[in-house]
Amino acid sequence: MRELKLDPVSVSDELTTGLAAAGLPIDDIGEPGRSYFRLADTENQIFGYSGIEAASHDAVLLRSMLILPAFRSQGYGRRLAVMTIARTPNGSAVYLATTNAARFFEHLGFAAVGRDQVPQAILSTRQLSGLCPASATIMKLTRRPAT
Ligand SMILES: CC(C)(COP(=O)(O)OP(=O)(O)OC[C@H]1O[C@@H](n2cnc3c(N)ncnc32)[C@H](O)[C@@H]1OP(=O)(O)O)[C@@H](O)C(=O)NCCC(=O)NCCS
């Protein structure tokens, strides 16, 4: 696979439009404590986006994971996830919520956890407390993938 880079991006129309088209939450994306990234190659061809939300000093939410439709199923999602996880603080637990990609995240070292095992700071994020359906699977990173 070609050389890829993960650059910080601000909340923009391109980010919002991409997330909305994939059915991912956008209502809270401009709120404080969130950082977003863009996966691109050295010629600035964009493949997707991702986000990290700091829920507390030791827990973060991986969110807004998106590979643009034309580039799916070619390994970019895995690269996006690995590179984004590498941007999370080493001592922090990493959580996410998903309605349709649990198997994808299992391959990356995440495991489903019950809500009673999830810190309140994560449950209180806008995504977990309202924007994601209650049926969403909550997952925790159990081993950091090799970069
Ligand atoms: C989920 C998503 C980021 C995966 O990106 P991708 O580039 O298609 O994934 P990859 O090509 O890196 O796939 C890696 C592996 O996961 C599998 N996989 C990909 N998407 C999957 C999904 N939704 N469910 C189950 N498995 C999936 C692939 O088959 C592949 O398996 P393999 O390594 O055994 O062949 C992408 O499909 C996407 O943007 N979906 C829409 C937004 C979304 O649902 N984001 C997740 C919200 S939490």
Coordinates of all heavy atoms in Angstrom, one line a residue, residues 13-26 29 36 49-50 63-66 68:
D13 N -16.9 21.4 6.1 CA -18.0 20.8 5.3 C -17.7 19.4 4.8 O -18.5 18.5 4.8 CB -18.4 21.7 4.1 CG -19.2 22.9 4.6 OD1 -19.5 23.0 5.8 OD2 -19.3 23.9 3.8
E14 N -16.5 19.2 4.3 CA -16.1 17.9 3.8 C -16.2 16.9 4.8 O -16.6 15.7 4.6 CB -14.7 18.0 3.1 CG -13.6 18.2 4.1 CD -12.2 18.1 3.4 OE1 -12.0 18.8 2.4 OE2 -11.3 17.4 3.9
L15 N -15.7 17.2 6.1 CA -15.8 16.2 7.1 C -17.3 15.9 7.5 O -17.7 14.8 7.6 CB -15.1 16.7 8.4 CG -15.1 15.9 9.6 CD1 -14.4 14.6 9.5 CD2 -14.5 16.6 10.8
T16 N -18.0 17.0 7.7 CA -19.4 16.8 8.1 C -20.2 16.1 7.0 O -21.0 15.1 7.3 CB -20.1 18.2 8.3 OG1 -19.2 18.9 9.1 CG2 -21.4 18.1 8.9
T17 N -20.0 16.4 5.8 CA -20.8 15.7 4.7 C -20.4 14.3 4.6 O -21.3 13.4 4.5 CB -20.4 16.4 3.3 OG1 -20.7 17.8 3.5 CG2 -21.2 15.9 2.2
G18 N -19.1 13.9 4.8 CA -18.7 12.5 4.7 C -19.3 11.7 5.8 O -19.8 10.6 5.6
L19 N -19.3 12.3 7.0 CA -19.8 11.5 8.2 C -21.3 11.4 8.0 O -21.8 10.3 8.3 CB -19.5 12.3 9.5 CG -18.0 12.4 9.8 CD1 -17.8 13.3 11.1 CD2 -17.3 11.1 10.0
A20 N -22.0 12.4 7.6 CA -23.4 12.3 7.5 C -23.8 11.3 6.5 O -24.8 10.5 6.7 CB -24.0 13.7 7.2
A21 N -23.1 11.3 5.3 CA -23.4 10.3 4.3 C -23.3 8.9 4.7 O -24.0 8.0 4.2 CB -22.5 10.6 3.1
A22 N -22.4 8.7 5.7 CA -22.2 7.3 6.2 C -23.1 7.0 7.4 O -23.0 5.9 8.0 CB -20.7 7.1 6.6
G23 N -23.9 8.0 7.8 CA -24.8 7.8 8.9 C -24.1 7.9 10.3 O -24.7 7.4 11.3
L24 N -23.0 8.5 10.3 CA -22.3 8.7 11.6 C -22.7 10.0 12.2 O -23.1 11.0 11.5 CB -20.8 8.7 11.3 CG -20.2 7.4 10.8 CD1 -18.7 7.5 10.6 CD2 -20.6 6.2 11.6
P25 N -22.7 10.1 13.6 CA -23.2 11.3 14.3 C -22.4 12.5 13.9 O -21.2 12.5 13.9 CB -23.0 10.9 15.7 CG -22.9 9.4 15.8 CD -22.3 9.0 14.5
I26 N -23.1 13.6 13.7 CA -22.5 14.9 13.4 C -22.9 16.0 14.4 O -22.3 17.1 14.4 CB -22.7 15.4 12.0 CG1 -24.2 15.5 11.6 CG2 -21.9 14.5 11.0 CD1 -24.5 16.2 10.3
I29 N -20.1 17.3 16.6 CA -18.7 17.2 16.2 C -17.9 18.5 16.5 O -16.7 18.4 16.7 CB -18.5 16.8 14.7 CG1 -19.1 17.8 13.8 CG2 -18.9 15.4 14.5 CD1 -18.7 17.5 12.3
Y36 N -9.9 15.8 15.1 CA -10.2 15.0 13.9 C -8.9 14.9 13.0 O -8.1 15.8 13.0 CB -11.3 15.7 13.1 CG -12.6 15.7 14.0 CD1 -12.9 16.8 14.7 CD2 -13.4 14.6 14.0 CE1 -14.1 16.8 15.5 CE2 -14.5 14.5 14.8 CZ -14.8 15.7 15.6 OH -15.9 15.6 16.4
Y49 N -11.5 9.8 7.2 CA -11.4 10.6 8.4 C -11.5 9.8 9.7 O -12.1 8.7 9.6 CB -12.5 11.7 8.3 CG -12.4 12.6 7.1 CD1 -13.1 12.2 6.0 CD2 -11.7 13.7 7.1 CE1 -13.1 13.0 4.8 CE2 -11.6 14.5 6.0 CZ -12.3 14.2 4.9 OH -12.3 15.0 3.7
S50 N -11.1 10.4 10.8 CA -11.3 9.8 12.1 C -11.3 10.8 13.1 O -10.9 12.0 12.9 CB -10.1 8.8 12.3 OG -8.9 9.4 12.4
R63 N -13.8 7.8 17.4 CA -15.1 8.1 16.7 C -14.9 8.6 15.3 O -13.8 8.8 14.8 CB -15.8 9.2 17.5 CG -15.0 10.5 17.7 CD -15.8 11.6 18.3 NE -16.9 12.0 17.4 CZ -17.9 12.7 17.8 NH1 -18.0 13.0 19.1 NH2 -18.8 13.1 17.0
S64 N -16.0 8.7 14.6 CA -16.0 9.3 13.3 C -15.0 8.6 12.3 O -14.4 9.2 11.5 CB -15.6 10.8 13.4 OG -16.4 11.5 14.3
M65 N -15.0 7.3 12.4 CA -14.1 6.5 11.6 C -14.8 6.3 10.2 O -15.8 5.7 10.1 CB -13.9 5.1 12.2 CG -13.1 5.1 13.5 SD -11.3 5.3 13.2 CE -11.1 3.9 12.0
L66 N -14.2 6.9 9.2 CA -14.8 6.8 7.9 C -13.8 6.7 6.8 O -12.8 7.4 6.7 CB -15.5 8.2 7.7 CG -16.0 8.4 6.3 CD1 -17.2 7.5 5.9 CD2 -16.4 9.9 6.1
L68 N -13.9 6.8 2.7 CA -14.8 7.2 1.7 C -15.2 6.0 0.8 O -14.3 5.1 0.6 CB -14.1 8.3 0.8 CG -13.7 9.6 1.6 CD1 -12.9 10.5 0.8 CD2 -15.0 10.3 2.1

